[in-house]
């Protein structure tokens, strides 16, 4: 099936594996193979779902963790990408090519983060986790909860312009004009070319202090996507 998939015969390969699935639902290779086919088709979210199933069956096969990391990387999901690569390094032999590639990715990213933002990779990931949790709250309209999360993220990584930009959005929706402008100014201090903060600040200037913004649309940025794109560049 995997040989057929490599030749571009995706449906044929998928049919072969799905035929095996009812009889072998707990066979690692079946779940792994389905994940690989989805990855080859650039269906990365679905590939990750199947790689997770394969890992639940056999957590010690480095190819599964490696391909899961690549799928996360394609989606620019930096915390999950790095942690999957870290797992490859943890369980794989040091002379394995995939282990070497995973280690190189982690070391290069860690060096770039240290140089550009002055923090460790571990701190960067912890900040990113808190940011993404806050981002989910913001998307649900929980402005106070999101603001707490963004502050926690900024306490770990104070050089993240999107964090302050999104704090500004939260303050705006809570009617805190002065604090919104201050947060957006901090985002622009970190990155003068950060366009969402430029656009959002113009909207914030029109609001009145104490008046909640209910129907205004701002530009928000997901930390993982924006940061990994910058680091890869």
């Amino acid at each position: 099936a995997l040989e057929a998939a490599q030749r571009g015969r995706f449906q044929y390969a998928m049919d072969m594996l799905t035929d095996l699935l009812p009889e072998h639902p707990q066979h690692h290779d079946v779940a792994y193979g389905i994940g690989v086919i989805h990855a080859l088709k650039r269906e990365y979210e679905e590939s990750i779902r199947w790689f997770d199933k394969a890992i639940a069956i056999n957590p010690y096969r480095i190819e599964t963790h490696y391909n899961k990391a690549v799928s996360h990387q394609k989606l620019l999901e930096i915390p999950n990408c790095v942690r999957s690569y870290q797992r490859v390094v943890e369980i794989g032999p040091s002379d394995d090519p995939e282990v070497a590639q995973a280690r190189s990715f982690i070391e290069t990213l860690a060096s770039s983060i240290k140089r550009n933002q002055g923090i460790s990779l571990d701190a960067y990931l912890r900040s990113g986790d808190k940011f993404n949790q806050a981002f989910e709250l913001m998307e649900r309209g929980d402005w106070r909860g999101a603001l707490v999360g963004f502050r926690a993220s900024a306490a770990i990584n104070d050089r993240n312009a999107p964090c302050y930009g999104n704090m500004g959005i939260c303050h705006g929706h809570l009617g805190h004009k002065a604090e919104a402008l201050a947060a957006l100014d901090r985002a622009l201090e970190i990155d003068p070319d950060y366009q969402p903060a430029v656009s959002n600040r113009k909207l914030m200037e029109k609001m009145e202090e104490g008046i909640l913004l209910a129907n205004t649309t701002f530009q928000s940025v997901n930390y993982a996507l924006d940061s990994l794109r910058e680091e890869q560049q």
Side-chain angles (χ1 to χ4, degrees), residues 50-88:
W50 282 96
F51 289 142
D52 281 338
K53 289 184 177 183
I55 289 169
I57 297 168
N58 179 4
Y60 299 106
R61 183 167 175 177
I62 63 172
E63 293 88 352
T64 314
H65 291 283
Y66 185 88
N67 282 289
K68 182 173 183 281
V70 171
S71 289
H72 281 301
Q73 186 175 347
K74 294 293 186 180
L75 292 172
L76 300 180
E77 296 175 345
I78 184 170
N80 291 331
C81 169
V82 171
R83 288 176 180 128
S84 291
Y85 277 133
Q86 287 175 331
R87 186 61 176 153
V88 172

Side-chain angles (χ1 to χ4, degrees), residues 195-208:
Q195 190 56 45
V198 174
S199 301
N200 291 339
R201 198 184 192 289
K202 292 178 181 178
L203 293 173
M204 294 296 183
E205 289 174 345
K206 299 176 182 178
M207 71 175 284
E208 294 183 31

Side-chain angles (χ1 to χ4, degrees), residues 37-225:
I37 293 170
H38 281 297
L40 290 171
K41 294 172 66 179
R42 301 182 181 181
E43 299 168 350
Y44 299 117
E45 291 182 355
E46 192 66 12
S47 74
I48 291 167
R49 190 170 74 87
W50 282 96
F51 289 142
D52 281 338
K53 289 184 177 183
I55 289 169
I57 297 168
N58 179 4
Y60 299 106
R61 183 167 175 177
I62 63 172
E63 293 88 352
T64 314
H65 291 283
Y66 185 88
N67 282 289
K68 182 173 183 281
V70 171
S71 289
H72 281 301
Q73 186 175 347
K74 294 293 186 180
L75 292 172
L76 300 180
E77 296 175 345
I78 184 170
N80 291 331
C81 169
V82 171
R83 288 176 180 128
S84 291
Y85 277 133
Q86 287 175 331
R87 186 61 176 153
V88 172
V89 174
E90 288 172 6
I91 65 176
S94 58
D95 59 348
D96 186 280
E98 292 179 332
V99 173
Q101 291 177 41
R103 184 183 296 110
S104 175
F105 178 92
I106 293 169
E107 291 175 351
T108 299
L109 185 61
S111 176
S112 177
I113 290 169
K114 186 68 174 179
R115 180 176 64 253
N116 295 330
Q117 304 197 27
I119 59 174
S120 68
L121 177 59
D122 179 66
Y124 185 81
L125 294 178
R126 286 188 288 109
S127 178
D129 286 340
K130 292 184 181 297
F131 183 106
N132 290 333
Q133 292 166 9
F135 191 85
E136 291 179 2
L137 292 174
M138 187 172 70
E139 288 190 316
R140 296 203 295 267
D142 184 355
W143 309 112
R144 294 186 185 278
L147 189 56
V148 170
F150 289 131
R151 284 172 173 164
S153 176
I156 301 171
N157 179 13
D158 192 48
R159 297 292 303 168
N160 180 21
C163 189
Y164 284 96
N166 289 346
M167 285 169 62
I169 293 174
C170 292
H171 278 302
H173 279 283
L174 292 170
H176 307 156
K177 179 178 180 178
E179 291 172 287
L181 292 174
L184 292 167
D185 286 343
R186 173 56 181 158
L188 291 170
E189 180 184 351
I190 297 168
D191 182 2
D193 297 322
Y194 183 50
Q195 190 56 45
V198 174
S199 301
N200 291 339
R201 198 184 192 289
K202 292 178 181 178
L203 293 173
M204 294 296 183
E205 289 174 345
K206 299 176 182 178
M207 71 175 284
E208 294 183 31
E209 186 70 42
I211 304 299
L212 279 64
L213 298 180
N215 299 313
T216 305
T217 301
F218 297 98
Q219 294 184 40
S220 61
V221 174
N222 184 294
Y223 177 95
L225 300 183

